[in-house]
Amino acid sequence: MESSRIVPLYQLSFFPSKPDSCRGFASPTRQWKQRTTRTTRLHCQKMYVPGFGEASPEAKAATNLHNFFTYIAVKIVMAQLESYNPEAYVELLEFLDRNSLNDGNKFCANLMRESSRHKALALRILEVRSAYCKNDFEWENLKRLAFKMVNESNTELMRNYVLETSHEEGDK
Amino acid sequence: MESSRIVPLYQLSFFPSKPDSCRGFASPTRQWKQRTTRTTRLHCQKMYVPGFGEASPEAKAATNLHNFFTYIAVKIVMAQLESYNPEAYVELLEFLDRNSLNDGNKFCANLMRESSRHKALALRILEVRSAYCKNDFEWENLKRLAFKMVNESNTELMRNYVLETSHEEGDK
């Protein structure tokens, strides 16, 4: 079934490419006479991330979030339809069964071309994903959770390793 | 080969669950006497997103970003090793071939237990992913790109549809 396919979070190829982790720092600084000594000292402090070509890790993450927002929009519209328009709900469910949601734009493009009723649903999904991205999604919360996750995971991984190895040493 | 497996960006199951899109609004407001009329009017303006159970779309997105940061950290460390420690580079490359990077924590846990040399690499990856998430990743840029993407995609999808259908009508 096509809808069971999953989205790659990232490409696993390690192809060489230009550095892209210095965006915002690489733009030419204005050479004000009195600031020359300061601006010429500006250089990128970021780590070099290979393999993103002309794009950036942020662009890659944004593309994945974009598909995620389409998925969320479909869920929101489905939940709304279920209660007051069961026919459209079933139609969308059937369409979901035949079409993968992994590429959000492709999904919407196909939905628009299915029938005039499906087109109305597609336009609604486009509207909802835009509103969700701009108003409902909690960007600060995402950042906070990601920080928390990296701290807690690192601590837990190291703790578990130490616990395991100290047991092994105790057994000897 | 295990490393060719891909990460699901989201679960495609539409299981019913509690609403979770009102975080931050659902907490009991302090009932200061002079503010009673204002606080009781506070209610959630967000769209209901089903299917995330106790978690939230933000937590789901943060988990995916967390795995993405591990992937980025591995790429950074690989790029560093390639130039000054080719042996460790080859070892890490071989390990990558045998172990999937989709679950970042599992990957690091396995890497730690491979050998003492691998353990040093794992600790470095943990450090790099934390530093990358906190210092290098451009969170505001991510938000900006996602906004831009949703605007441009919606416009493009509608424009393409109108162009297609107007051609069809012109052909009749």
Side-chain angles (χ1 to χ4, degrees):
Chain A
M1 197 171 68
E2 209 181 6
S3 62
S4 65
R5 278 189 298 165
I6 46 176
V7 169
L9 181 59
Y10 38 73
Q11 301 301 323
L12 286 169
S13 61
F14 285 84
F15 53 89
S17 70
K18 283 184 265 180
D20 53 8
S21 57
C22 299
R23 296 167 311 287
F25 288 85
S27 58
T29 50
R30 293 187 190 180
Q31 297 290 327
W32 298 111
K33 216 171 183 178
Q34 69 273 28
R35 286 194 185 172
T36 306
T37 51
R38 276 188 197 175
T39 52
T40 49
R41 275 186 201 170
L42 259 181
H43 55 91
C44 185
Q45 297 289 338
K46 296 194 176 190
M47 292 176 286
Y48 166 53
V49 188
F52 280 89
E54 291 293 316
S56 65
E58 288 80 8
K60 188 85 192 158
T63 306
N64 281 330
L65 271 181
H66 178 68
N67 288 322
F68 184 58
F69 291 150
T70 313
Y71 165 73
I72 298 267
V74 169
K75 290 190 85 142
I76 290 172
V77 171
M78 291 281 281
Q80 292 169 347
L81 291 175
E82 196 174 10
S83 55
Y84 79 91
N85 192 344
E87 279 176 34
Y89 174 79
V90 171
E91 275 182 342
L92 188 52
L93 205 60
E94 280 171 1
F95 186 83
L96 268 168
D97 208 39
R98 284 178 284 118
N99 292 270
S100 166
L101 241 172
N102 295 345
D103 183 338
N105 287 345
K106 199 177 156 197
F107 177 86
C108 293
N110 291 340
L111 187 60
M112 272 181 179
R113 283 151 183 85
E114 186 79 0
S115 78
S116 59
R117 286 195 313 279
H118 286 87
K119 193 186 89 182
L121 290 175
L123 293 177
R124 191 149 141 200
I125 288 167
L126 295 190
E127 204 178 330
V128 167
R129 80 173 175 184
S130 175
Y132 183 80
C133 167
K134 288 169 190 168
N135 308 322
D136 285 16
F137 189 71
E138 298 168 359
W139 293 91
E140 275 307 308
N141 201 14
L142 171 71
K143 191 175 168 181
R144 189 184 60 78
L145 287 169
F147 278 31
K148 197 181 157 207
M149 216 169 268
V150 80
N151 282 339
E152 289 179 357
S153 303
N154 283 6
T155 310
E156 198 185 339
L157 281 165
M158 288 192 275
R159 190 178 52 221
N160 287 346
Y161 179 77
V162 169
L163 281 173
E164 256 183 60
T165 47
S166 62
H167 274 250
E168 278 169 19
E169 280 170 16
D171 292 344
K172 281 174 192 172
Chain B
M1 197 170 68
E2 208 179 6
S3 62
S4 64
R5 277 188 300 165
I6 45 177
V7 170
L9 180 61
Y10 37 71
Q11 301 301 322
L12 286 168
S13 60
F14 286 83
F15 52 88
S17 71
K18 282 183 266 178
D20 52 9
S21 57
C22 300
R23 295 168 315 285
F25 289 85
S27 60
T29 49
R30 290 188 191 180
Q31 298 290 327
W32 298 110
K33 218 172 184 178
Q34 68 274 27
R35 287 193 185 173
T36 305
T37 51
R38 276 189 196 175
T39 51
T40 49
R41 275 186 201 169
L42 261 181
H43 55 90
C44 184
Q45 297 287 340
K46 296 196 176 187
M47 293 176 286
Y48 166 53
V49 188
F52 280 88
E54 292 293 317
S56 65
E58 288 80 7
K60 189 85 192 159
T63 306
N64 281 330
L65 271 181
H66 179 68
N67 288 322
F68 184 59
F69 292 150
T70 312
Y71 165 74
I72 298 267
V74 169
K75 289 191 86 142
I76 291 172
V77 170
M78 290 282 282
Q80 292 169 348
L81 290 176
E82 197 174 9
S83 55
Y84 79 91
N85 194 342
E87 279 177 36
Y89 174 79
V90 170
E91 275 183 340
L92 188 50
L93 205 59
E94 281 172 359
F95 186 83
L96 267 169
D97 207 41
R98 284 180 283 117
N99 293 269
S100 166
L101 241 172
N102 296 344
D103 183 338
N105 288 344
K106 200 178 155 195
F107 176 86
C108 294
N110 290 341
L111 187 60
M112 272 181 180
R113 284 153 183 83
E114 187 78 0
S115 78
S116 61
R117 286 195 312 279
H118 287 86
K119 191 186 90 182
L121 291 175
L123 292 177
R124 190 149 143 202
I125 290 166
L126 295 190
E127 206 178 329
V128 168
R129 79 172 176 183
S130 174
Y132 182 80
C133 166
K134 287 170 191 167
N135 308 322
D136 286 14
F137 189 71
E138 298 168 0
W139 293 91
E140 275 307 308
N141 201 13
L142 171 71
K143 192 176 168 181
R144 190 184 60 77
L145 288 169
F147 277 31
K148 196 180 157 210
M149 214 169 270
V150 80
N151 282 339
E152 289 180 356
S153 304
N154 283 7
T155 310
E156 198 185 339
L157 281 167
M158 288 192 275
R159 190 178 52 222
N160 288 346
Y161 179 77
V162 169
L163 282 172
E164 257 183 59
T165 48
S166 62
H167 274 249
E168 279 170 20
E169 279 170 13
D171 293 342
K172 281 176 191 169

